[in-house]
Amino acid sequence: MLEPFTRQSKQVVNLFELVRHRQDLKQILVAEKNHLQAPSVSIIKLSCEKIIKAITEQIEAITKTIQKLTDSDPILKQKQEILKTIPGIGDIVHY
């Protein structure tokens, strides 16, 4: 028998969007690090370094926000703790 649809809580939706954005930023970070390897013009390297720093700061901020959101919701916190019992799943992977 099918279960009736239940709407996700606002915290779960926010968590999903934050995790997705964090993943997008990680991809952009990899691309920028690759760009940093190619140019021989110093101003381009400087630009890449500034972008990498800004993206890294954003990833750190989003990671903290995700952790605060998870810690503030008992159900999300419980799910986080269960996931972390699996070998290889750590603080970052469970997001």
Side-chain angles (χ1 to χ4, degrees):
M1 186 168 141
L2 290 175
E3 296 281 328
F5 173 77
T6 54
R7 184 169 290 237
Q8 296 293 330
S9 70
K10 183 173 180 156
Q11 276 121 332
V12 171
V13 172
N14 288 344
L15 178 63
F16 175 77
E17 290 178 11
L18 285 165
V19 169
R20 185 176 56 197
H21 186 58
R22 186 180 178 281
Q23 290 170 339
D24 291 343
L25 287 172
K26 294 286 275 181
Q27 289 178 334
I28 294 168
L29 180 62
V30 169
E32 262 328 291
K33 285 181 176 181
N34 289 337
H35 291 152
L36 183 62
Q37 303 302 316
S40 59
V41 179
S42 63
I43 193 159
I44 295 174
K45 283 189 175 194
L46 182 60
S47 174
C48 289
E49 289 168 353
K50 287 180 180 181
I51 292 169
I52 289 168
K53 182 180 178 198
I55 293 170
T56 301
E57 289 171 356
Q58 284 299 303
I59 290 170
E60 290 170 1
I62 289 173
T63 301
K64 287 178 184 176
T65 303
I66 289 170
Q67 189 60 54
K68 285 179 188 175
L69 180 65
T70 304
D71 289 344
S72 70
D73 185 298
I75 294 171
L76 291 176
K77 182 70 173 170
Q78 181 183 23
K79 289 180 179 183
Q80 175 188 35
E81 294 304 319
I82 291 169
L83 283 172
K84 287 170 60 175
T85 64
I86 300 169
I89 303 291
D91 287 333
I92 301 298
V93 176
H94 73 270
Y95 297 137

